[in-house]
Amino acid sequence: MAVKDSPTSWVQEHIRKYVETDGAEGHEWRPGVHTLLLTTKGRKSGELRRTALIYQPDGDGYVVVASQGGAPAHPAWYLNLTEDPVVHVQVAADKFQANARTAGPVERDRLWKLMTEVWPDYDEYQAKTDREIPVVVLERVKG
């Protein structure tokens, strides 16, 4: 099945370079800020949808934030993975299937601090919205 990339043009370009170079271009988006590619299955369309997200490793997993820049609604990719938590992830050249889950309150506090160390703007995004911005843990499927 074909994958549809983010409708945002600069994100599409970022994803294209990332995919074409196995992450040699795009994995480090800005100095010290790394991104992964997350592919979810559309909850309505059933289509595969891919976006690029800032991440931090945490133990064996990877952490991403469903901020959407502090928009009032959750991003579509987050809504998709709440329907179907089996996702595809690419970190540089490493491609794997993962299970996605939303961090609980205590874990979220710890992981939020981890993520704001690399992208302090998350605090600003949270201040702009009434929703609690979800923190998502991506855990590699073993086997």
Side-chain angles (χ1 to χ4, degrees):
M1 182 183 293
V3 178
K4 289 193 172 185
D5 291 334
S6 169
T8 307
S9 61
W10 72 267
V11 179
Q12 279 180 7
E13 182 62 15
H14 178 95
I15 292 169
R16 185 187 64 74
K17 286 180 184 175
Y18 200 116
V19 170
E20 286 177 358
T21 67
D22 255 353
E25 287 184 49
H27 179 244
E28 187 169 27
W29 178 50
R30 296 197 177 156
V33 180
H34 294 89
T35 62
L36 57 72
L37 300 183
L38 175 69
T39 304
T40 60
K41 186 169 143 187
R43 66 197 178 285
K44 296 176 186 170
S45 67
E47 295 175 328
L48 297 178
R49 310 257 181 194
R50 180 169 50 200
T51 194
L53 299 166
I54 295 169
Y55 79 91
Q56 283 276 61
D58 184 61
D60 291 338
Y62 296 94
V63 180
V64 294
V65 176
S67 67
Q68 193 161 285
H74 294 312
W77 65 261
Y78 177 74
L79 298 173
N80 289 344
L81 67 76
T82 61
E83 283 289 315
D84 184 352
V86 178
V87 298
H88 187 268
V89 179
Q90 181 174 346
V91 179
D94 187 18
K95 301 169 189 165
F96 57 94
Q97 192 174 55
N99 286 310
R101 63 176 179 79
T102 304
V106 173
E107 185 183 31
R108 182 192 182 278
D109 288 346
R110 179 180 68 80
L111 296 176
W112 185 265
K113 289 178 184 130
L114 178 72
M115 294 304 293
T116 57
E117 286 172 12
V118 73
W119 196 254
D121 289 357
Y122 286 134
D123 284 330
E124 178 186 320
Y125 302 160
Q126 183 60 79
K128 284 172 39 177
T129 185
D130 290 333
R131 70 182 171 95
E132 180 175 83
I133 294 175
V135 176
V136 176
V137 180
L138 305 170
E139 298 169 323
R140 185 186 300 261
V141 173
K142 305 285 190 233

